[in-house]
């Protein structure tokens, strides 16, 4: 999953800066425009055993990279505020609607998750610039003075996040808006899903 996210790219390694400098710059910018702010977050690497409750031959290890959405802070080290609307699971309502139609006489239906759904879209235009900490074991070689001796070039580096990630409090909203836009473009072009 890491390679996939780097391939999009989900973040821009070339934007690397010390957290302290990003915060200092953000505070200076806010003096000119009080509404400007940044978000600081970290990536969390998860690994789990799928089907652990079943026979061992169908076990498989799965990994996921998520944003620590419960710990997003602004440049003043205060928790970032998000609207509740953005955290709703829009897919659940669509699935229930599909189930209802599929149960009608003469009808059939099925539902499936989109592969890498949230990561298909970028963060919304209303999202403040979001800077993320990359796990130390995933730092590129250029971030080290001497990797073998463990001497880093940076103390607490962050990079700019540009792609929507699982864990972001508005990930569901940005995905919904992306899908809504795709649907309206299909209809404008005279196409319909089959």
């Amino acid at each position: 999953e890491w390679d996939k996210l780097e391939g999009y790219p989900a973040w821009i390694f070339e934007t690397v800066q010390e957290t302290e400098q990003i915060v200092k710059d953000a505070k200076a910018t806010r003096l000119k425009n009080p509404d400007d702010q940044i978000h600081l977050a970290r990536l969390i690497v998860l690994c789990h055993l799928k089907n652990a409750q079943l026979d061992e031959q169908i076990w498989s290890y799965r990994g996921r990279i998520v944003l620590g959405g419960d710990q997003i802070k602004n440049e003043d080290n205060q928790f970032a505020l998000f609207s509740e609307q953005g955290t709703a699971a829009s897919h659940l309502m669509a699935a229930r609607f599909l189930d209802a139609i599929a149960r009608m006489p003469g009808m059939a239906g099925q539902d499936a998750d989109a592969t890498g759904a949230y990561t298909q879209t970028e963060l919304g235009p209303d999202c403040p610039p979001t800077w993320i900490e990359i796990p130390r074991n995933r730092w590129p070689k250029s971030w080290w003075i001497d990797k073998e001796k463990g001497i880093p070039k940076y103390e607490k580096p962050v990079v700019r996040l540009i792609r929507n990630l699982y864990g972001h409090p508005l990930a569901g909203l940005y995905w919904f808006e992306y899908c809504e836009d795709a649907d309206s473009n299909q209809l404008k072009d005279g196409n319909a899903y089959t």
Side-chain angles (χ1 to χ4, degrees):
E1 179 156 344
W2 187 269
D3 293 338
K4 181 181 74 174
L5 292 173
E6 278 188 345
Y8 279 135
W11 48 80
I12 307 170
F13 275 121
E14 294 77 24
T15 62
V16 63
Q17 293 186 52
E18 287 287 0
T19 302
E20 186 178 312
Q21 186 62 48
I22 292 292
V23 168
K24 183 179 173 184
D25 293 348
K27 288 180 178 182
T29 301
R30 198 177 60 206
L31 290 174
K32 297 173 192 159
N33 185 353
D35 293 333
D36 279 357
Q37 66 170 322
I38 62 165
H39 286 167
L40 298 162
R42 64 186 177 93
L43 294 182
I44 300 171
V45 180
L46 303 174
C47 181
H48 67 276
L49 183 60
K50 186 174 181 179
N51 299 320
Q53 75 280 13
L54 302 174
D55 290 333
E56 190 173 345
Q57 66 260 20
I58 57 174
W59 289 0
S60 64
Y61 285 94
R62 297 293 171 102
R64 174 144 320 199
I65 313 296
V66 299
L67 188 73
D70 62 329
Q71 294 293 314
I72 298 176
K73 295 187 177 182
N74 67 13
E75 64 274 9
D76 293 320
N77 203 31
Q78 296 175 337
F79 285 107
L81 299 176
F82 297 93
S83 69
E84 281 298 314
Q85 175 187 3
T87 61
S90 56
H91 181 260
L92 185 58
M93 290 306 295
R96 288 181 179 166
F97 184 67
L98 180 63
D99 284 344
I101 292 174
R103 293 175 188 274
M104 293 179 179
M107 304 296 279
Q110 72 181 67
D111 178 42
D113 285 341
T115 303
Y118 289 168
T119 57
Q120 292 181 26
T121 183
E122 294 184 355
L123 291 174
D126 60 330
C127 186
T130 303
W131 296 85
I132 57 169
E133 291 178 36
I134 301 292
R136 196 175 178 104
N137 68 333
R138 290 297 186 162
W139 286 11
K141 286 182 182 177
S142 63
W143 290 14
W144 294 91
I145 293 171
D146 188 333
K147 191 169 184 176
E148 278 77 42
K149 292 182 181 175
I151 304 170
K153 186 187 286 187
Y154 300 98
E155 190 173 315
K156 192 174 177 187
V158 289
V159 294
R160 181 77 185 269
L161 178 69
I162 56 172
R163 187 76 50 178
N164 195 18
L165 290 183
Y166 291 93
H168 192 288
L170 297 177
L173 178 64
Y174 293 146
W175 170 245
F176 175 78
E177 289 172 350
Y178 172 79
C179 291
E180 194 173 58
D181 188 46
D183 285 345
S184 65
N185 286 339
Q186 286 286 326
L187 292 173
K188 266 191 262 179
D189 295 341
N191 297 324
Y193 295 107
T194 57

